[in-house]
Amino acid sequence: MHWGFPALTEPSASPAGSLGIFEVRRVLDASGCSMLAPLQTGAARFSSYLLSRARKVLGSHLFSPCGVPEFCSISTRKLAAHGFGASMAAMVPFPPQRYHYFLVLDFEATCDKPQIHPQEIIEFPILKLNGRTMEIESTFHMYVQPVVHPQLTPFCTELTGIIQAMVDGQPSLQQVLERVDEWMAKEGLLDPNVKSIFVTCGDWDLKVMLPGQCQYLGLPVADYFKQWINLKKAYSFAMGCWPKNGLLDMNKGLSLQHIGRPHSGIDDCKNIANIMKTLAYQGFIFKQTSKPF
């Protein structure tokens, strides 16, 4: 189920004798207005007992105008608070995604006010997210020694939490990219039969930062870095609003607690993964958003 575009929906069939599934879908009401509504699907339908409980929990939220991004998170939170979380998770499988793995990436780079040029990557984290379970299976995480501006500015340390000792003596970007390739091979991600794609919070990481620094240093950019999913765009398709403040807005819109420190690359990756898992639970199918190079 893709919530990017409103559409009249039909209940999906379930095997005979199976327990029906309780879902929230975008539908058209009698006047043609788009609405979000919980529906019963499956031949056997949702058990009357659980449905009755769900109705009592959701109350006035059973039908809510489209365009209210808080609706899904409110409903999910209300159900979870009344013990529906585990049972719902057990009964509602993830929709089939287009990729075997999602590679969540979030760079941190040298910075200052006014901005320094060129910026250089100083933190290079990747989380390997299983496309079937949306769980983290493996982590790549390295700090990178900047060479043009080797001394971190106070502004950079305050923003990212990265201190000078964390980058001093670390591998260069060229060496880190070689280790990324080794990790990709070890994880089976270079197998042509395995579909994977990077996921970033915005286009900056793989459209601007990495290709820009590689061009400056005369390094090639691997093809797997040339396609990605911009989580901000995916979220806006799913929820109907643009997350102006990035991860903070997406966590708020989905009623999720922010993980770790903002602008920590590895913590930002964990937040991206958590947001993706939540959207997948709601039936969202992730698609490539970047344009071909």
Side-chain angles (χ1 to χ4, degrees):
M1 178 174 61
H2 189 294
W3 287 359
F5 304 96
L8 185 65
T9 61
E10 294 285 341
S12 58
S14 297
S18 66
L19 182 64
I21 296 174
F22 182 80
E23 293 183 354
V24 178
R25 291 190 177 184
R26 196 185 291 274
V27 299
L28 299 179
D29 67 8
S31 65
C33 296
S34 179
M35 302 176 65
L36 287 172
L39 302 174
Q40 300 174 63
T41 67
R45 301 299 184 193
F46 197 82
S47 80
S48 58
Y49 169 69
L50 286 179
L51 182 57
S52 175
R53 282 187 58 207
R55 282 175 173 157
K56 289 179 182 178
V57 171
L58 291 176
S60 62
H61 293 289
L62 276 172
F63 291 90
S64 178
C66 176
V68 182
E70 291 83 5
F71 170 73
C72 297
S73 56
I74 289 172
S75 301
T76 302
R77 190 168 64 248
K78 279 176 169 284
L79 289 169
H82 286 75
F84 277 87
S87 58
M88 289 292 181
M91 288 188 294
V92 184
F94 285 108
Q97 296 289 336
R98 297 184 169 199
Y99 299 93
H100 297 110
Y101 296 101
F102 298 102
L103 306 176
V104 179
L105 177 150
D106 190 272
F107 296 137
E108 297 304 323
T110 54
C111 54
D112 202 3
K113 282 192 174 182
Q115 190 58 274
I116 58 177
H117 297 283
Q119 286 186 272
E120 299 172 86
I121 295 169
I122 54 175
E123 185 180 7
F124 203 128
I126 307 172
L127 299 181
K128 178 187 176 187
L129 203 64
N130 187 303
R132 182 178 58 83
T133 64
M134 301 306 283
E135 297 291 344
I136 298 168
E137 286 194 352
S138 181
T139 301
F140 177 92
H141 187 210
M142 293 190 71
Y143 291 98
V144 189
Q145 170 76 61
V147 294
V148 181
H149 302 284
Q151 195 70 29
L152 301 183
T153 64
F155 174 82
C156 183
T157 294
E158 182 179 353
L159 180 70
T160 66
I162 299 172
I163 62 174
Q164 192 65 41
M166 295 167 72
V167 298
D168 283 346
Q170 294 300 312
S172 66
L173 179 63
Q174 180 177 0
Q175 293 170 320
V176 171
L177 289 173
E178 291 170 355
R179 295 190 189 181
V180 168
D181 202 66
E182 292 170 0
W183 177 78
M184 296 274 288
K186 175 187 167 189
E187 294 294 327
L189 297 167
L190 301 184
D191 184 333
N193 296 316
V194 175
K195 292 188 66 177
S196 64
I197 190 168
F198 279 91
V199 183
T200 58
C201 184
D203 292 322
W204 174 84
D205 301 81
L206 294 178
K207 186 176 182 179
V208 177
M209 187 61 237
L210 182 63
Q213 188 175 356
C214 285
Q215 182 179 32
Y216 183 87
L217 297 173
L219 301 174
V221 178
D223 286 343
Y224 46 69
F225 286 126
K226 296 179 180 179
Q227 301 87 33
W228 65 89
I229 295 169
N230 178 343
L231 184 64
K232 292 180 182 178
K233 291 181 180 178
Y235 178 91
S236 70
F237 295 153
M239 302 296 286
C241 61
W242 182 259
K244 185 177 179 181
N245 295 310
L247 293 175
L248 295 178
D249 280 356
M250 288 186 275
N251 276 328
K252 183 178 180 180
L254 295 169
S255 298
L256 299 174
Q257 289 291 324
H258 192 89
I259 300 170
R261 175 195 174 106
H263 301 295
S264 157
I266 190 65
D267 287 345
D268 284 353
C269 284
K270 292 174 184 177
N271 281 285
I272 293 170
N274 201 29
I275 290 164
M276 291 184 70
K277 183 176 181 179
T278 303
L279 291 176
Y281 262 123
Q282 295 181 358
F284 187 75
I285 306 297
F286 290 93
K287 302 176 183 178
Q288 177 179 332
T289 62
S290 64
K291 297 179 180 178
F293 271 55

